[in-house]
Amino acid sequence: MKTMGEVTPFRNAAVERVFAQYPDAVRAEMLALRELVFRTAAETPEVGALEETLKWGEPAYVTSATRSGSTVRMDWKPRHPRQLALYFNCKTDLVETFRTLFPRDFAFEGNRAIVLPAGKRIPNDSVAFCIAASLTYHLRKKTAAPARA
């Protein structure tokens, strides 16, 4: 069991290098988001173990073991230094759902991301809901599918 403030060890050196390249203040916020992803996955039994990898050069969290959900990516970009982003599969209805449920909690980038202001308090409950929704997306789609005759 991790103690408060303890960081989940990196198992992917390439991902660890990406985090090491963030400016100090941003790195702390990105590590907090990373911990929220791992904590949310651990608290959502259907998700199972996460694989941490890079997709498009950005930290990505995949439900490889259970295939329960859709990938969650995160990043900070120097060209937008005052924002962090969590990216979701743009071919899903996830971001549209988040836009409906949390219109005041986040800014949105099209149908692919929720945008959080850097240096501000993250609405952990809302973000955790979005993470869990993505990590269980395929399970929900299966249960929502009509039965075949």
Side-chain angles (χ1 to χ4, degrees), residues 49-117:
L50 287 183
E51 176 186 357
E52 184 174 40
T53 188
L54 294 178
K55 289 194 176 199
W56 298 283
E58 300 168 341
Y61 303 86
V62 183
T63 60
S64 298
T66 62
R67 301 202 186 287
S68 64
S70 183
T71 301
V72 174
R73 287 183 297 122
M74 64 176 66
D75 205 13
W76 170 88
K77 307 227 187 283
R79 70 179 178 270
H80 299 291
R82 296 174 193 228
Q83 66 185 38
L84 314 172
L86 281 173
Y87 298 96
F88 303 91
N89 186 323
C90 64
K91 296 184 189 301
T92 68
D93 62 357
L94 287 165
V95 173
E96 192 55 42
T97 300
F98 305 155
R99 184 179 278 114
T100 300
L101 294 172
F102 306 109
R104 293 185 232 347
D105 287 14
F106 318 118
F108 297 90
E109 185 180 307
N111 63 346
R112 69 185 205 121
I114 59 175
V115 178
L116 304 161

Side-chain angles (χ1 to χ4, degrees), residues 2 6-12 15-16 19 22 27-41 50 52 59-61 74 86 122 127 131:
K2 289 186 300 187
E6 192 175 336
V7 175
T8 300
F10 286 95
R11 292 193 175 106
N12 183 313
V15 174
E16 188 171 12
F19 275 87
Y22 293 132
R27 183 179 317 111
E29 290 183 281
M30 292 296 292
L31 286 170
L33 274 178
R34 178 180 179 265
E35 288 306 313
L36 186 58
V37 169
F38 280 113
R39 186 174 72 235
T40 301
L50 287 183
E52 184 174 40
Y61 303 86
M74 64 176 66
L86 281 173
I122 293 172
V127 173
I131 292 166

